[in-house]
Every structure is written in C-alpha cells, then in structure tokens.
Amino acid sequence: MRTGESLSERLASTATVAIDLHPVDAQHLSAALQTIKADAVLLAAWSLDGLTRALPDCDLAKLAPELPLLLVLDEPPDEASVLDDRLPTGCVWLRRDFGRGELLAALRQAQINLAFAANPDGVLLLEADQRVALANPAAGRLLGKTQADLHGHQLNLNGDRQGLQEWTAPDGRTLEWKIRPLPQAGGAAVVSLHDATERRAAARALEFRAEHDTLTGLPNAVRLHQELDSALARADRDGGRVAVLYLDLDGFKQINDTFGHDVGDAVLVAVAQRLTAVRRSGELLARVGGDELVMLAESFPPGFESRIAERVLGALDAPLQAAGRTLQLGLSIGVAVYPDHASDAEGLLRVADEAMYAAKRSGRGAYRVASTHADAVSQRRQELTAGLKQGLLRGEFELLYQPLLDLQRARFVGAEALLRWHRPGVGVLHPAQFLDVAETSGLILEIGDWVLDRLCAQLAQWRWVLGEDFFVCANLSAAQLRRADFAGRFRRVLHSHGLTSAAVRLEVSESIMAQELGRALGDVTAATDMYLAVDDVSQGMLSLRNISSLPIRSLKLDHSLVAGLPHDTLSTQLVEALIAIGRTFGLSVVAEGVENAEQLQFLRQRGCDYCQGFLLSAPVAAADLPALVSTPELLRGLLPALS
C-alpha cells in the first residue's frame, strides 16, 4: 500500500482511495519492500501454513520489522501456531472479507503490537503465579533468554511492588524493574525492565567526583571531613586516638614556575602514587588543595604518630619521575593527635596546619608534632591579638638595627631594621613569636605602617651624621605587598622625611616572592622605583627566569646557608652559585648570619657584596648605631679577614 496521507486517514475517508495495492510475487517480495515506500504490509494466503509454504525462505519477523504486518487468511491461525510464536510479534490477522472498519482496527492493533515489540525497555505480562505470559524482544535481551524460553518462565520477583527495584544480572549489568499489579485481571501484573548500567555508572562517577580530586584520584576535602568526623566518633566510643598529618610539598612552586603546570600536575600525580604506596590499611590520604595533602590515621599506640610521619617523609627520599623529568622534592609535615591536641575536627586540622608551617620554618624536609591543645592555641592567639593592639597604642614596639658591611670597601654602609615587642609581664618578643598572629588578624598592616614611618624618621636623622648614601633595610609582609594603596603610602612616607626610594630597601622573603611572581611587585616598584630585595634565599623557590623578570635588585642569603661555610661542600657550592647568579643579573648579594672570620673571608673572596651578623655586631638600639658604625677599631679587628 502506497504512502501519502496516513493510512488511517485514508481508511476513514470515503472521498479518497483507501488502498493502493502493489501486487508482488513471492520471489521478489523482500526486494520490493526495500524500494516501495509503504504504510503496512498485507500478506494474503489460504492459511498460515500455506503462507509459510509460499515463502519458504522468508522470516516473517524480519520481513518488514518497522511496518505493521497484516495477514489476510481464509483460515484463522490455530492454537499451536500462536503458542509456538509462529505469528511474528506485532502482526495481526484478518479474514479475507474484511471491511474498512476491521482494517482500521487491525492496523491500530498492529501499530500497538509493533510499538510493544520495538520498546527498548523490557515489558512482560505475568500470570498470578509470576509466570511469563507475554514478553517483548527487549525483555529477552535484558534477561538473556529467548522469547520462547521466557514463555512460562517464573521470575520470582520480590520486594516492594510500588517502588523501583534494582537487580544485578549474571553478566554484571544493573537492571531496574518495576511491577504493576492488575487487580482486575486475577492477580496478573505488568513488569517493566530497564538497563540502568550506564546511568548507574554515570551516577557512581558523579558521586566519586564529588568526593575525590579529579587530578590524583585521592579523596578531597569533602570526603576527608566526612571520614574525620567518623574517626573522631569511633575514638570517642572506643577510647582510641586519631592523628592528622598535614603535608605540604617543598619546592613545588619552583617546579610549577620553571617547567609549567603540566609538569606540576604530573608531579602531584607521582607524589600521590608514592604516598599511597606507603599508606597503611585504615589510613586515608586526601588532597585538600594545591600541593597540600592530609593523611588520617587512627587506632595507634601513644607516640606512634612520629613513626607514621617518618614513614611518610621517607616516601619522597628517592627522586620522582614525572613528565619525563627526574625531580627531587621534600615534605613538611605537621602532626596533631585527637584528643591530645584538639577536641574537634576543625581544631585538629588547624593545629596540624600550624605544626606544618613550624616544620617549614625550621628548614623544611621535616615534621613537627603539635605541642599544645587547639583550645590553648586559640586562646593564646586571641591574647596575642589583644596584646598587639594594646602594644601599638602604648608604644611597646621598638626597632633595633644590625649594621651591614660593604665587603669590597670594608666599611659600614647600611643597617637592617629588626622589630622587637617589649610585652609587659612577658619580656622581649621577636617577630617569629607573634608575626603569624599579626598577619592573620590584619594588624600586620598597622605594625608595618609604624615600622616604615619610624625607620624613615630615624634614617633622616642619621644621614646628617652617617652620610647621604647610608641606607636601611626593612622586611615587607605579603599583606603589605598586596595592599592596593601600599605604593602611594610608601611614597608619601619617604617624601615626608625627605628620602628617596634608594634609602629604604624593602626585603620580601623568597617564599612570598615566589607566590606573588610579579603581580603586585611590578605595580609597587613601578610606582615608587623602590629597591626590592629577596630575603632568606636558600630553598631555590625562584627560577632563573623569575629572577630575570621580577623587579628585584638584591639577593639575601639565608643564615642556614652561611652557617655551613666554608667547610660544608653543599653550602659552599650553593653560595658560590647564588653569588654568580647575582653577578649575572646585576644584583647585589647580601649574606646574613656571619659569625666567624672564616665565613667573612670566604664571602669576600667569592665576590659577595654585603654581610651582617654577630661577628660584626648584634642588633643595637637606634641611639647606639652611629657610634658603632663609626668605630675604626671594629674594622681594624676584621682587616685580616678582609685582606
């Protein structure tokens, strides 16, 4: 029958031709169906057996699987033909003397049967005893059975008949099924089956991504907090202990800046694999951001947390292979234990984080176990914050000055300003004892403003005695550097005391310099033409590319490098290399922590520009500095080392 208007419309209308027949002989039936666009297929025969004999090589189910199949028979199909599935799913039979209404009804039924057969989800009709009375092809595929095998098969479905159930097939697929009873049909029911394997896999992937780091595959901060809460609950119940190890990679920033983020990502993956390899059963390793990881351990004897930290540190003893490069990294680890150091998860993580930074300050490649309880730490920080505020109001801060010696000219040319806090009832505190609190509380900005104003006023006085080229060095915090109006503030302070930017050399630690990488540095130096120095150079966090591109004029060697001179081979090589780098890029080099004549002589012979340290003088009060730097006897005592 030809296509055009829908067959249903043509059959329902008396004004149009209902049927346009295309008689085709049996031999050319399959080929004709490939070329003729048809609405339905009508096959006429005396009986089903006669049709089968006429089309011996034709599978009726595959003849036109997407079209309604109507069988016009003089003799109706017998019971055996129906039960043996000799009638294809989706076909309908008609008597030869059918009318238009019968044809329309048969077509509708064939379309319904076709939709039933084409449904990608399985549909089964169950008898009251849960035996399969009818099933579409999809049900057979999902259950791994033919439709003939399914007929009469008992499914034995259990569970809540109102909700969606899951069943894992023998081949591992996840099938969802729902059963809908038909109360008016004597206990029969309809079952729908759906292959939910891909959807469940996608859901599991989303669940995994929600709780895991996409780069390393490690649990993320969300999962860590869940597991930590559970671990603390178990510890409360069983009287156990929980350890948090806060891990931070040493030198990772330098790798990112030198080789790019692709190599950095490869390093993080390699580190995760290395640390996972040393993780014991019951321990959790999570990535909480950047190059920071946290290990969670529980149920261990007192004091065993140190052994866990040593095991983790040892994981990075050997160089890493990442992105075709061999790289050496270390770890700084802070350790906190519940209930010794904190009473909740937040406090435990905070104390471990603080212990990690203490490990970094001590030289890196080490671990530190927290020494105080989180509550005590929090109280101490609150007390320090209040004390700092009062100290600013009461004038409890003082600047001491340590002179700098020009090694080539053998004379003092400047001094470093060092902050001290005379805290009532406590004594003199060094910045290391309160600087982290000043930074987190925001008071570092007020303290920094006081320091710059005070040293500029002092330097303006000294220049009448010590000369116009005498300069002072001062440390600059990250908060000051990021301050939007810092450049303007610094310029105004200099001008108010009649000074130029060359008179005050601002020192930024190597770690802060590596973090900023010129974002704020360029703006500040361009606006003020300030003299910017890299302080505490020892870890190699700045690459040669960074040194050449950043607006810096000086490198200050950390005392940990100078301490090994001149006998420690590694210290000697590093200092010589840094002096050579300074010379290459036109940067002056300053050495701090000089304590003996051998160090002084070594530095001068290698071309170091300036030095400071207890060999020359301890930090002194402002009133004592002019006399100190003008004392010829001091320099005469150092002349053998300067020759």
Side-chain angles (χ1 to χ4, degrees):
M1 296 185 294
R2 65 176 175 80
T3 188
E5 297 175 276
S6 72
L7 180 58
S8 299
E9 290 172 341
R10 296 204 304 275
L11 289 174
S13 172
T14 57
T16 59
V17 178
I19 302 175
D20 184 7
L21 294 174
H22 289 266
V24 177
D25 60 74
Q27 292 182 348
H28 300 93
L29 178 60
S30 296
L33 287 173
Q34 301 298 320
T35 57
I36 298 173
K37 293 182 179 181
D39 294 302
V41 176
L42 269 74
L43 296 178
W46 175 259
S47 65
L48 186 60
D49 287 337
L51 181 62
T52 303
R53 288 193 297 271
L55 302 171
D57 299 322
C58 181
D59 184 347
L60 295 181
K62 297 179 181 179
L63 184 64
E66 297 179 359
L67 294 177
L69 177 61
L70 306 179
L71 300 184
V72 181
L73 304 174
D74 288 304
E75 181 180 288
D78 57 22
E79 181 180 353
S81 299
V82 175
L83 294 178
D84 292 343
D85 291 327
R86 292 177 60 195
L87 279 174
T89 302
C91 83
V92 176
W93 75 275
L94 287 166
R95 296 181 182 276
R96 184 178 292 272
D97 57 348
F98 63 83
R100 191 178 64 206
E102 291 175 297
L103 179 60
L104 180 59
L107 175 65
R108 291 288 177 82
Q109 185 60 51
Q111 290 171 332
I112 292 171
N113 293 348
L114 187 64
F116 174 76
N119 192 338
D121 289 341
V123 180
L124 304 102
L125 177 63
L126 301 185
E127 302 287 2
D129 59 358
Q130 290 200 341
R131 294 184 183 278
V132 177
L134 183 65
N136 68 348
R141 290 193 300 271
L142 292 174
L143 295 174
K145 296 179 179 293
T146 65
Q147 286 178 274
D149 291 336
L150 274 178
H151 186 75
H153 178 73
Q154 193 168 30
L155 286 184
N156 295 322
L157 295 176
N158 298 312
D160 181 7
R161 292 195 168 203
Q162 302 303 315
L164 199 63
Q165 306 290 322
E166 278 193 4
W167 177 63
T168 302
D171 60 1
R173 288 173 304 140
T174 300
L175 301 182
E176 289 179 346
W177 61 269
K178 188 171 184 179
I179 185 168
R180 186 171 65 87
L182 301 175
Q184 303 302 318
V190 174
V191 174
S192 59
L193 282 172
H194 176 70
D195 189 345
T197 305
E198 291 186 4
R199 186 180 62 78
R200 290 298 300 145
R204 286 192 293 269
L206 287 175
E207 291 173 2
F208 184 88
R209 290 180 62 182
E211 296 184 354
H212 290 78
D213 173 51
T214 55
L215 175 64
T216 63
L218 295 175
N220 60 15
V222 173
R223 176 74 180 280
L224 171 67
H225 282 85
Q226 294 172 350
E227 295 295 333
L228 182 54
D229 288 340
S230 298
L232 296 186
R234 287 190 292 271
D236 289 338
R237 183 189 65 220
D238 304 331
R241 307 169 80 242
V242 178
V244 165
L245 283 73
Y246 214 107
L247 286 59
D248 188 85
L249 290 177
D250 298 333
F252 179 73
K253 185 70 175 178
Q254 179 188 9
I255 289 175
N256 251 350
D257 296 338
T258 303
F259 303 116
H261 290 284
D262 289 344
V263 175
D265 287 349
V267 166
L268 289 174
V269 172
V271 168
Q273 293 171 346
R274 189 75 67 84
L275 294 177
T276 300
V278 301
R279 179 177 56 83
R280 299 282 176 84
S281 175
E283 295 175 347
L284 176 77
L285 179 66
R287 183 187 178 203
V288 295
D291 60 338
E292 293 185 343
L293 302 100
V294 171
M295 180 171 280
L296 177 64
E298 52 184 316
S299 302
F300 53 89
F304 200 80
E305 60 269 16
S306 295
R307 296 181 62 179
I308 299 174
E310 290 167 358
R311 166 165 47 91
V312 175
L313 273 179
L316 295 188
D317 283 346
L320 288 169
Q321 301 296 322
R325 300 178 183 275
T326 301
L327 301 167
Q328 182 70 64
L329 286 89
L331 281 174
S332 293
I333 303 177
V335 185
V337 178
Y338 176 85
D340 302 352
H341 302 130
S343 55
D344 56 28
E346 182 181 353
L348 198 62
L349 288 168
R350 184 174 68 251
V351 173
D353 187 35
E354 291 184 352
M356 181 271 291
Y357 279 107
K360 275 194 178 297
R361 288 193 294 268
S362 69
R364 308 186 179 215
Y367 73 89
R368 288 289 181 274
V369 178
S371 57
T372 54
H373 195 278
D375 296 340
V377 171
S378 179
Q379 183 178 357
R380 180 184 67 83
R381 294 178 71 88
Q382 291 175 6
E383 292 174 352
L384 271 178
T385 300
L388 287 170
K389 292 178 181 178
Q390 292 296 321
L392 281 168
L393 294 173
R394 296 172 180 173
E396 296 171 1
F397 291 97
E398 179 190 16
L399 289 180
L400 300 182
Y401 297 88
Q402 188 172 44
L404 275 81
L405 179 68
D406 186 322
L407 286 169
Q408 307 310 315
R409 294 187 290 171
R411 70 183 183 91
F412 292 108
V413 294
E416 180 181 6
L418 300 168
L419 183 64
R420 299 292 184 265
W421 179 17
H422 295 268
R423 190 179 185 191
V426 178
V428 179
L429 298 183
H430 289 232
Q433 297 170 280
F434 60 83
L435 196 60
D436 60 335
V437 175
E439 289 179 343
T440 55
S441 67
L443 290 172
I444 190 65
L445 296 177
E446 293 182 54
I447 296 173
D449 289 345
W450 180 88
V451 167
L452 287 178
D453 184 70
R454 188 59 178 265
L455 71 85
C456 285
Q458 187 63 68
L459 181 57
Q461 294 179 19
W462 282 339
R463 285 194 157 194
W464 291 99
V465 179
L466 302 176
E468 291 291 324
D469 60 346
F470 197 84
F471 61 87
V472 173
C473 302
N475 288 293
L476 188 65
S477 72
Q480 289 174 283
L481 187 62
R482 298 181 186 129
R483 196 174 188 175
D485 60 345
F486 174 74
R489 285 173 173 268
F490 183 54
R491 185 193 303 112
R492 288 191 293 272
V493 172
L494 289 174
H495 290 175
S496 68
H497 295 287
L499 301 174
T500 64
S501 58
V504 180
R505 301 185 177 186
L506 297 179
E507 298 178 351
V508 181
S509 71
E510 182 184 32
S511 59
I512 295 175
M513 187 77 74
Q515 291 169 11
E516 295 304 319
L517 284 179
R519 286 177 301 182
L521 301 179
D523 296 339
V524 171
T525 54
T528 63
D529 192 32
M530 73 167 58
Y531 191 108
L532 204 61
V534 184
D535 194 15
D536 302 328
V537 176
S538 65
Q539 299 298 328
M541 297 181 71
L542 291 176
S543 66
L544 294 180
R545 182 183 303 169
N546 300 147
I547 291 174
S548 65
S549 61
L550 291 175
I552 56 180
R553 303 191 192 181
S554 180
L555 301 176
K556 192 168 191 178
L557 308 182
D558 188 70
H559 63 85
S560 62
L561 286 180
V562 177
L565 301 178
H567 304 296
D568 181 72
T569 303
L570 181 58
S571 296
T572 299
Q573 292 174 342
L574 288 174
V575 169
E576 289 177 339
L578 288 168
I579 292 173
I581 289 172
R583 188 178 299 113
T584 299
F585 292 103
L587 309 177
S588 63
V589 179
V590 183
E592 64 178 357
V594 176
E595 297 184 355
N596 59 61
E598 284 184 302
Q599 294 170 344
L600 183 68
Q601 187 175 39
F602 176 90
L603 290 165
R604 183 176 186 276
Q605 290 175 350
R606 296 308 190 277
C608 185
D609 299 293
Y610 306 102
C611 73
Q612 64 185 87
F614 279 83
L615 175 65
L616 307 176
S617 172
V620 298
D624 299 329
L625 186 74
L628 175 66
V629 299
S630 303
T631 304
E633 289 77 12
L634 175 60
L635 290 179
R636 276 199 295 270
L638 296 174
L639 283 178
L642 294 173
S643 60

